[in-house]
Amino acid sequence: MTMELVTGHAGEPHVTAAQDAALHAGVIGGDDYVLSTKDRFAINVVSANKVTIAGGDLVMQGYHASNDKPADLIITNGSQGQKRNDIICCRYTKVGDSIESANLVVVKGTPTTGTPVDPTLNTTPISQGATTYDMALYRVPLDGITIGEPEPMFNILQPMSSVWDSLTHTDVTTLISGNYGTVKGYRSGPMVTLRIDWKTSASGSWNSGTFGTLPESWRPPMDLNFSYGGRDGANQKSINVNANGTMTYTNQGGTQGTNAFGMTVSYAL
């Protein structure tokens, strides 16, 4: 038989770990991920030769492993005048035909007086028959006998709810309202779209005006500038949306009128 109904009653145990892993890999991807659950394997340096890894869940090539409570790991003491990189990883092992397990381990690097390199991990894919596979979690640098700040080496896989939020439009919201006009906006994930409707403009070349200040969650990560061009070349302006939330406009020389103006701008947060 070439086909099997995995999610189905067969009258006897028949679902394998490999089938379950294939489903996970097909849905979330075949790489290695830390899931956004528990404490996401947060690390704490306890002493010169011990770290603690908090609880978390991960999926390596479709295989789910869980750490339910903090785990202490021993880092071999460093040597004066030498540097070393150790790697903390989750190690998958398979013994015989069916006994599989996952454990947190420290892979010791090679001491050197120069620039340290990471130790070699087991990276042959499990799907290709590997009986040992290492998912790197942290690089732990040692300088002499001192443990440096551990460096995360994993990606955190966000839940589907985050994907849904990133695809969903918010309602149109009035962000700035005053005697001279309004700025309204909506968001779709990290994208913001603003509609400016202003009743009058500062006259004179190079004069400027202020719309108001955007709420914090609508502000871009850096100052942005957009060009506005009025009828027959009049009312040339730079529309400025700044990282601190202030929105202003600046006339761009020449004869400028006081007519109403409006435009739409979009940017990523």
Side-chain angles (χ1 to χ4, degrees):
M1 182 176 65
T2 58
M3 285 295 298
E4 178 183 6
L5 182 61
V6 177
T7 308
H9 180 65
E12 61 181 4
H14 68 100
V15 180
T16 67
Q19 290 171 329
D20 200 32
L23 176 61
H24 290 153
V27 172
I28 69 174
D31 293 327
D32 300 336
Y33 310 97
V34 167
L35 303 184
S36 185
T37 58
K38 301 173 185 172
D39 292 315
R40 301 188 293 188
F41 297 100
I43 190 170
N44 180 45
V45 177
V46 178
S47 67
N49 66 345
K50 185 169 74 173
V51 299
T52 298
I53 303 292
D57 291 280
L58 59 81
V59 176
M60 47 183 172
Q61 302 186 355
Y63 285 77
H64 174 210
S66 181
N67 187 40
D68 292 328
K69 58 183 180 180
D72 292 333
L73 296 175
I74 301 300
I75 305 294
T76 302
N77 289 331
S79 303
Q80 290 285 0
Q82 293 188 318
K83 298 180 180 181
R84 194 179 83 224
N85 285 347
D86 289 358
I87 301 295
I88 295 174
C89 64
C90 179
R91 174 166 289 175
Y92 161 93
T93 56
K94 183 175 183 179
V95 180
D97 293 330
S98 60
I99 306 302
E100 298 169 294
S101 62
N103 293 283
L104 294 173
V105 301
V106 179
V107 182
K108 181 181 176 183
T110 301
T112 179
T113 56
T115 301
V117 298
D118 294 341
T120 300
L121 302 182
N122 299 290
T123 57
T124 299
I126 300 172
S127 61
Q128 295 182 14
T131 57
T132 304
Y133 178 81
D134 296 327
M135 173 183 170
L137 294 176
Y138 291 97
R139 176 184 296 110
V140 181
L142 289 93
D143 188 347
I145 61 173
T146 303
I147 292 182
E149 183 71 22
E151 304 168 15
M153 301 177 70
F154 54 83
N155 294 317
I156 296 177
L157 184 69
Q158 298 301 321
M160 289 299 296
S161 59
S162 297
V163 178
W164 175 257
D165 290 344
S166 72
L167 299 174
T168 303
H169 288 295
T170 64
D171 294 333
V172 175
T173 302
T174 299
L175 304 170
I176 297 172
S177 180
N179 294 332
Y180 295 104
T182 61
V183 177
K184 298 179 180 180
Y186 70 87
R187 289 173 55 178
S188 180
M191 294 300 301
V192 166
T193 298
L194 302 180
R195 172 64 196 181
I196 302 167
D197 288 293
W198 222 242
K199 299 176 183 179
T200 187
S201 172
S203 62
S205 58
W206 307 112
N207 284 350
S208 61
T210 300
F211 298 110
T213 303
L214 292 171
E216 186 172 354
S217 61
W218 293 77
R219 300 173 185 177
M222 63 180 182
D223 293 347
L224 302 177
N225 308 102
F226 303 88
S227 295
Y228 169 82
R231 178 181 173 85
D232 298 329
N235 289 334
Q236 303 296 315
K237 302 180 185 303
S238 170
I239 306 296
N240 312 304
V241 184
N242 300 312
N244 64 3
T246 58
M247 286 187 63
T248 63
Y249 66 87
T250 305
N251 293 337
Q252 297 298 292
T255 301
Q256 302 290 323
T258 59
N259 294 337
F261 66 96
M263 69 176 297
T264 301
V265 300
S266 294
Y267 54 87
L269 296 176

